[in-house]
Amino acid sequence: MVDHLDFRNGAVSTETPVSIEEFLGASNATAVRIEPGEDARALLPHLDRLALVEVSFPVFGDGRGYSSARILREAGYQGELRASGDVLVDQLFAMRRSGFDSFAPNAPLDPAVVKASLERYADVYQKTVDGRRPVWAKRHEVA
Amino acid sequence: MYRYDNYDQAMVDARVEEFRDQARRRLAGEMTEDQFKPLRLMNGLYLQLHAYMLRVAIPYGTLSGPQMRMLGQIARKYDKGYGHFTTRQNIQYNWIKLEDAADILADLASVEMHAIQTSGNCIRNISSDQYAGVAADEVTDPRPWAELLRQWSSFHPEFSYLPRKFKIAVIASAQDRAAMRLHDIGLELVKKDGVIGAKVFAGGGMGRTPMVAPEIRDFVTEDEIIAYVEACLRVYNRYGRRDNKYKARIKILVHELGVEEYRRQVEEEFAHMKTLGIDPPVAELDRIRSYFADPAYESGLSEEVNRSDPDFALWLDRNVVAHKQPGYAIANISLKPVGGIPGDATAEQIELMADLAERYSLDELRVTHAQNIVLPYVRKADLYALWKELDEAGLGAANLDRISDIIACPGLDYCSLANARSIPVAQKIATRFAGNGKEAAIGEMKLKISGCINACGHHHAGHIGILGVDRKGTENYQLLLGGSGAEDCSLGQITGPGFDENGIVDAVERVTDLYLAQRSEGERFLDTYRRLGMAPFKEAIYG
């Protein structure tokens, strides 16, 4: 069982993220944590100095963090994007597709189940920020 | 109709295996019910009063004969021999074992069907006009867009944990047969300067706070529809309320922000979305469209129908509607026999409808949101033979859009949310009006019954609506008048104090008697109500 998942080849931050309020204040932190009700777009002017954005999932059913993640990636954020909290194995696939590349789940995950659930779907229907070519692109040989 | 390619098939096959694994982990105790619940819900599996209920998606209500046959087989093999067609143009089975669920999904996948996203806080089955492709009044067949949206919404990573469920309807006629404006998003395909695009409505819905969706954009071209809908969803996912599940639907967000502000936010997001290249190329829409091309219609067919059998003539007048192609007709099979359960069919009836579709309707059927079945391609010359077979199987009810063609939710007989039973009320009303002979005189009447405030039986949209509530431990029924889910969309108003089970049947009769006495030439019940207002009806009921 593992309590952290990293899809960044070890390039993960060890800094403790600060709140978005603190970050946008006088802080020189390079790691920030955003809660479900907070606006990820407030971070867009500061992406260059960010090494870690931790998106909090207090309960797995609150899906606002998926939008936060995509918004950051769509704006070109290249740093670590971590989902933390009530992160369950069955949510990992959608989280990866939304741009998350590290995970700090409350409850440890079984790596074998993680692998199986991430590899289950050979193809995807939507173009998101993960670089995967959707089915329509393959059908019509477009990028 | 649409057929899966290898990509589509692999997707549903993978889903079956994923669910098989999840069910195994649940049965082995590796997952709690709380953890399993959202996963089973996204596969259409509900825990009801007596057993699991499985809801199977019938995308935009279109299915083939072999698919229908499989639905019958599942009813026989895994249920107690019944299927229940729903107001979402789906089918559900009320007596399912968790141990069998993955096998059922595998059987469905073998005929290109699934139960993906038929529940849960995600984008649900896309609904559409049951006469799509055969209606004389449509701008274009709406189903290619519905299929495009089906694929786009399947496993959408950003929108799998929305504040609440999300329903989209696509139509392409001025006449609305899909209650489009009572959906979270309604798309009406229109032609502007020779180009097809969508008029977009958002924030409609029923439930405890019914709203008619306002128009939020008058035109989106067909190559930007996905980007626009995605923008609508993103604003909702980020700002829809999550503190109270009864205020979590998009209608509340649109209402609280105001249409102008919601529109502004969507436009801003849309401008951004357009830069991401998330819309499939028009070639993809064309690929899907090719599956919905007109069939090889026969020409020179007879327009004559022999009306000498009076029972057949009645069915012909009530259940058969005009087809765009000469020599053909659209035949509606009513699942509302007097005294029956609205929307229910036995395994044998489902299989028979599959056979009839194969022999008389180019192997295709439709499910309507009014819980009936349509055979969309019947040669007029075959109508009598078709009706004979339907009638022998108890499927010949001649009551389309009449007072006994009732939409009713499963109610307290099955549903764990219900406050009151719906089915017995539907049965009593149908029986009363069959006995008193007034159904024919009343004409078009849409009567809809919900067993609780969640409004699965569309009572807000009924010309006459009935809402079952719990009043100090006894079932009580409120009466609503003046609703419509059609192009003249409106919400019904409550008449006043509620009734017991027999009282509500009497009240419905008093209301219809007043209509029969007061109507002007050519007026439907709804028209008379709108002209006279509530007062005289109230007087007739309570006076």
Side-chain angles (χ1 to χ4, degrees):
Chain A
M1 303 297 272
V2 294
D3 53 14
H4 194 94
L5 289 171
D6 153 30
F7 295 87
R8 296 181 55 80
N9 299 316
V12 292
S13 170
T14 52
E15 194 175 328
T16 303
V18 300
S19 72
I20 197 163
E21 199 180 2
E22 200 174 327
F23 179 83
L24 295 174
S27 163
N28 57 3
T30 63
V32 64
R33 174 181 171 88
I34 54 176
E35 300 297 330
E38 294 172 345
D39 182 7
R41 288 210 163 96
L43 298 175
L44 299 190
H46 313 286
L47 295 184
D48 287 350
R49 73 167 163 110
L50 272 170
L52 166 67
V53 179
E54 182 172 284
V55 178
S56 157
F57 287 85
V59 289
F60 69 83
D62 188 334
R64 285 177 282 189
Y66 295 88
S67 289
S68 300
R70 262 187 87 188
I71 284 168
L72 291 168
R73 291 296 190 213
E74 284 165 5
Y77 174 63
Q78 300 285 329
E80 181 181 355
L81 192 50
R82 181 190 297 164
S84 78
D86 195 15
V87 174
L88 307 174
V89 68
D90 297 285
Q91 276 88 52
L92 292 179
F93 179 74
M95 287 182 167
R96 289 286 291 139
R97 296 225 62 216
S98 299
F100 288 105
D101 56 7
S102 80
F103 300 90
N106 288 344
L109 301 174
D110 180 340
V113 181
V114 168
K115 187 168 184 296
S117 64
L118 288 178
E119 291 173 358
R120 182 159 278 122
Y121 293 95
D123 281 292
V124 295
Y125 279 126
Q126 313 80 8
K127 182 172 176 183
T128 64
V129 284
D130 61 353
R132 293 182 72 165
R133 289 176 75 214
V135 163
W136 50 258
K138 294 185 175 185
R139 281 172 178 151
H140 301 283
E141 291 303 318
V142 296
Chain B
M1 56 180 278
Y2 188 69
R3 297 300 309 267
Y4 285 3
D5 67 1
N6 292 337
Y7 293 112
D8 299 313
Q9 189 66 50
M11 209 75 81
V12 298
D13 289 345
R15 181 56 147 197
V16 173
E17 290 319 308
E18 180 177 40
F19 182 73
R20 197 180 287 286
D21 178 55
Q22 290 165 345
R24 181 196 58 73
R25 283 188 279 140
R26 173 65 190 126
L27 288 165
E30 292 169 29
M31 233 192 291
T32 65
E33 171 57 19
D34 275 356
Q35 290 171 334
F36 182 56
K37 188 177 170 188
L39 306 176
R40 65 169 165 77
L41 285 180
M42 268 190 230
N43 287 284
L45 200 61
Y46 283 80
L47 192 54
Q48 293 287 46
L49 285 179
H50 313 293
Y52 280 99
M53 178 272 276
L54 178 70
R55 184 180 294 148
V56 175
I58 302 174
Y60 34 91
T62 293
L63 76 172
S64 69
Q67 290 176 327
M68 188 73 159
R69 207 164 282 124
M70 178 58 81
L71 296 179
Q73 199 177 304
I74 289 170
R76 176 177 296 111
K77 192 169 166 191
Y78 301 104
D79 188 276
K80 293 185 177 178
Y82 290 90
H84 178 76
F85 291 93
T86 78
T87 58
R88 295 291 307 155
Q89 302 176 289
N90 290 329
I91 185 170
Q92 57 196 43
Y93 298 101
N94 284 314
W95 302 97
I96 296 301
K97 293 188 191 73
L98 178 56
E99 291 82 345
D100 290 334
D103 290 337
I104 301 173
L105 297 184
D107 286 353
L108 289 169
S110 74
V111 292
E112 302 177 16
M113 295 184 84
H114 60 75
I116 295 164
Q117 292 169 212
T118 54
S119 54
N121 293 335
C122 51
I123 302 167
R124 303 290 189 88
N125 184 37
I126 313 293
S127 57
S128 188
D129 185 343
Q130 69 268 21
Y131 299 157
V134 292
D137 63 342
E138 73 186 6
V139 172
T140 181
D141 188 333
R143 291 174 300 167
W145 284 267
E147 174 60 26
L148 193 76
L149 287 162
R150 182 192 74 84
Q151 295 186 25
W152 161 79
S153 62
S154 296
F155 317 121
H156 197 295
E158 187 176 342
F159 306 132
S160 291
Y161 298 93
L162 294 167
R164 201 73 180 86
K165 58 189 169 184
F166 203 91
K167 300 173 179 178
I168 301 176
V170 190
I171 66 168
S173 308
Q175 228 187 317
D176 180 2
R177 288 172 285 259
M180 180 272 289
R181 291 188 70 187
L182 295 169
H183 283 72
D184 295 283
I185 288 182
L187 299 173
E188 180 186 351
L189 299 168
V190 292
K191 212 173 233 174
K192 194 172 166 184
D193 305 326
V195 179
I196 288 177
K199 186 182 278 193
V200 185
F201 298 82
M206 291 186 258
R208 50 191 75 200
T209 319
M211 306 233 184
V212 177
E215 182 185 314
I216 56 161
R217 202 172 214 270
D218 71 340
F219 197 73
V220 187
T221 55
E222 64 177 21
D223 55 339
E224 294 183 341
I225 286 179
I226 295 295
Y228 191 80
V229 173
E230 193 137 344
C232 292
L233 261 300
R234 177 173 285 178
V235 173
Y236 169 57
N237 190 45
R238 299 186 76 207
Y239 300 112
R241 286 181 60 173
R242 291 174 187 264
D243 59 323
N244 178 343
K245 75 179 265 200
Y246 302 117
K247 296 186 189 298
R249 296 285 290 270
I250 192 176
K251 62 193 173 188
I252 303 293
L253 176 71
V254 173
H255 181 73
E256 288 183 353
L257 285 178
V259 183
E260 286 305 318
E261 176 58 16
Y262 176 71
R263 180 185 293 131
R264 189 194 65 74
Q265 293 189 20
V266 169
E267 287 297 328
E268 209 172 282
E269 201 67 67
F270 179 47
H272 166 67
M273 290 288 177
K274 283 200 282 191
T275 67
L276 303 175
I278 57 176
D279 271 286
V282 171
E284 173 64 359
L285 191 55
D286 288 340
R287 184 191 72 89
I288 295 172
R289 223 181 247 136
S290 70
Y291 288 99
F292 294 98
D294 276 344
Y297 286 117
E298 294 171 51
S299 57
L301 292 179
S302 168
E303 296 292 324
E304 289 304 308
V305 180
N306 182 337
R307 302 174 53 93
S308 55
D309 182 328
D311 290 336
F312 167 66
L314 186 68
W315 179 80
L316 187 67
D317 291 340
R318 294 207 179 149
N319 287 36
V320 177
V321 300
H323 196 288
K324 70 176 184 185
Q325 186 70 17
Y328 287 83
I330 303 169
N332 283 274
I333 303 173
S334 167
L335 297 183
K336 317 292 177 61
V338 171
I341 297 176
D344 263 25
T346 63
E348 292 70 27
Q349 288 176 327
I350 295 171
E351 285 164 348
L352 175 70
M353 289 189 277
D355 290 345
L356 295 175
E358 186 182 351
R359 282 186 280 136
Y360 296 117
S361 181
L362 305 178
D363 220 9
E364 191 177 312
L365 312 94
R366 311 287 176 79
V367 182
T368 81
H369 85 273
Q371 305 177 282
N372 294 316
I373 302 295
V374 173
L375 296 179
Y377 300 106
V378 183
R379 285 181 298 227
K380 286 183 178 168
D382 291 336
L383 283 167
Y384 185 67
L386 167 66
W387 172 77
K388 281 290 252 192
E389 293 197 51
L390 287 172
D391 198 41
E392 276 164 27
L395 292 167
N399 61 354
L400 189 77
D401 293 339
R402 301 289 168 139
I403 196 164
S404 60
D405 181 10
I406 296 169
I407 291 182
C409 70
L412 197 52
D413 291 299
Y414 293 98
C415 179
S416 50
L417 302 173
N419 296 123
R421 289 166 304 151
S422 306
I423 293 166
V425 175
Q427 290 167 329
K428 282 192 173 174
I429 291 171
T431 305
R432 169 80 60 95
F433 282 85
N436 67 18
K438 292 175 187 168
E439 176 165 277
I442 293 167
E444 184 185 308
M445 166 60 76
K446 303 201 176 179
L447 195 149
K448 311 187 189 210
I449 306 174
S450 304
C452 82
I453 200 165
N454 292 312
C456 297
H458 293 191
H459 64 275
H460 300 294
H463 297 178
I464 293 178
I466 294 172
L467 167 64
V469 296
D470 176 283
R471 203 167 128 246
K472 296 175 191 147
T474 59
E475 293 162 283
N476 189 266
Y477 296 92
Q478 295 180 344
L479 185 63
L480 294 87
L481 302 177
S484 170
E487 60 282 359
D488 57 355
C489 195
S490 62
L491 302 170
Q493 300 299 314
I494 294 177
T495 56
F499 307 88
D500 66 12
E501 194 176 306
N502 291 320
I504 191 72
V505 183
D506 293 338
V508 168
E509 190 167 6
R510 278 186 224 118
V511 161
T512 52
D513 282 349
L514 181 77
Y515 156 68
L516 291 174
Q518 297 286 325
R519 69 176 165 189
S520 307
E521 183 67 27
E523 264 186 348
R524 302 171 299 164
F525 170 83
L526 183 63
D527 304 321
T528 303
Y529 172 80
R530 286 175 174 170
R531 176 170 57 80
L532 296 178
M534 177 67 92
F537 288 93
K538 231 172 163 159
E539 174 65 25
I541 300 165
Y542 302 103

